Amino acid sequence: LVTAGSGESITGNITCTLATSETVTATDDADWITTSVSDGVVTVTATANTGTGAKRREAWVDLTSSTGKTAEIRVNQEAGSAS
């Protein structure tokens, strides 16, 4: 679980290193994050959550190995202040 605090305009990368020799793919379910996997490192990039009416948002990243093993990463982002 990754959470960005209230009142902050959080944008940037979250990285997670995988302990596997298998090939892993990552997919996400939100248009405000992108995911990639390179050399065993999963990177999730989030855009800022600001603007009128911005609310806390949640996304899931699904990881799948070449042998069918799966894992999920939940990403939460609080609404930030537009500056």
Side-chain angles (χ1 to χ4, degrees), residues 39-80:
D39 296 325
V41 176
V42 177
T43 302
V44 179
T45 303
T47 60
N49 185 14
T50 60
T52 304
K55 296 181 180 179
R56 180 181 181 275
R57 54 191 182 182
E58 178 179 281
W60 289 91
V61 177
D62 295 314
L63 306 174
T64 306
S65 75
S66 54
T67 60
K69 296 175 188 169
T70 61
E72 292 180 317
I73 300 170
R74 183 174 72 179
V75 180
N76 289 331
Q77 187 182 47
E78 298 296 336

